[in-house]
Amino acid sequence: MNKDNVIFIPDLHAPFIKKGVLEFCKEQQLKYNCGTVIFAGDIIDGHAWNYHEHDPDGMSVGDELEAAREQLKPWFKAFPTAISLMGNHDLLIQRKAKTIGLSSKFIRGFGDIIGAPKTWQFKLEHIKDNVLYKHGNFGDAFKVAKSSRISTCQGHLHSKTFVQWSVSEKDAIFGLQVGWGADRHKYAFDYGKSFTDKPVISCGLILDKGKTPIVKIMNL
């Protein structure tokens, strides 16, 4: 695989990953010869331990974490080396610890919690070939890229996916936005049932040392 080509995998929200998304992402990796794998973050969902209302008929904290670890096993096998950006759902564990006044010294590394290979790296941001990769919190990828003047790839916004360019006298930068890889019909996402815009399953391909961005949408 060519390390100069990147596959940017969307938010998974395990254990609620949609069936077929792994095969879709692996197919794109092979088709576009991507030797660098970057996950957009929100590897896990954390419905059972977030700050919002919980489904009383849903999984317990322990059961959801165990189910997420089990669902992620084939992903770890398919992508044994990867960079995973820390999304807001991934960071819930640290936030919860602070809420109850628990020192970070008591908390295991996120990779250990989800059972990831030691070859996975977990970061808030990553820059490769002058392209910024981050989970995203405020604004979509194009807005961030245009204001910072560095090409940017983001997840987080489940109903958006695109590549958009901004060209100035001095540079040409892009924003690449991926959707997610979860199943919107699962109980953890009941909050979105009334939303007009529905989530889109997509991944990004950033080829030729950051020069050629592509978004691929999974056939539903």
Side-chain angles (χ1 to χ4, degrees):
M1 293 288 176
N2 187 347
K3 294 290 185 180
D4 294 333
N5 293 338
V6 177
I7 180 169
F8 190 52
I9 296 176
D11 308 11
L12 297 181
H13 291 272
F16 306 110
I17 305 172
K18 186 176 178 64
K19 184 178 179 181
V21 175
L22 173 57
E23 292 74 16
F24 164 70
C25 291
K26 193 65 183 178
E27 179 184 353
Q28 303 311 313
Q29 183 199 25
L30 295 174
K31 180 178 179 179
Y32 291 94
N33 192 27
C34 297
T36 299
V37 179
I38 301 178
F39 285 76
D42 284 355
I43 291 289
I44 58 175
D45 186 73
H47 173 84
W49 58 87
N50 66 26
Y51 288 90
H52 305 294
E53 288 184 342
H54 306 153
D55 189 324
D57 299 316
M59 289 180 279
S60 69
V61 172
D63 287 343
E64 182 176 331
L65 178 57
E66 188 57 36
R69 287 170 62 97
E70 193 65 28
Q71 195 176 46
L72 287 171
K73 283 181 179 179
W75 287 83
F76 297 147
K77 184 176 180 181
F79 304 105
T81 301
I83 294 169
S84 185
L85 306 171
M86 295 295 288
N88 53 299
H89 286 253
D90 303 324
L91 293 169
L92 275 171
I93 298 169
Q94 294 180 19
R95 289 183 59 202
K96 280 285 186 174
K98 287 184 177 180
T99 296
I100 63 173
L102 190 62
S103 169
S104 60
K105 296 177 182 179
F106 290 98
I107 306 299
R108 289 187 295 162
F110 184 70
D112 291 335
I113 292 173
I114 65 173
K118 299 298 182 183
T119 45
W120 273 46
Q121 300 179 55
F122 295 91
K123 309 172 70 173
L124 290 175
E125 296 182 351
H126 181 71
I127 295 178
K128 176 177 170 57
D129 299 322
N130 204 35
V131 177
L132 172 64
Y133 297 86
K134 59 189 300 183
H135 176 68
N137 289 304
F138 305 103
D140 61 40
F142 182 67
K143 291 179 181 177
V144 173
K146 193 173 181 180
S147 63
S148 61
R149 301 314 299 177
I150 181 172
S151 293
T152 302
C153 300
Q154 286 190 176
H156 185 60
L157 303 176
H158 303 154
S159 60
K160 286 188 176 185
T161 192
F162 58 76
V163 174
Q164 190 169 351
W165 286 87
S166 172
V167 179
S168 72
E169 293 289 346
K170 297 181 179 180
D171 61 5
I173 55 96
F174 64 83
L176 184 150
Q177 183 76 43
V178 293
W180 75 346
D183 185 344
R184 68 183 178 89
H185 300 291
K186 299 296 185 181
Y187 70 85
F189 312 116
D190 282 350
Y191 63 88
K193 282 185 175 180
S194 62
F195 294 175
T196 301
D197 293 333
K198 301 304 181 184
V200 57
I201 297 175
S202 63
C203 70
L205 297 310
I206 302 87
L207 314 177
D208 308 321
K209 293 186 176 181
K211 296 181 177 63
T212 307
I214 302 171
V215 163
K216 299 293 288 187
I217 298 176
M218 177 177 165
N219 293 326
L220 302 180

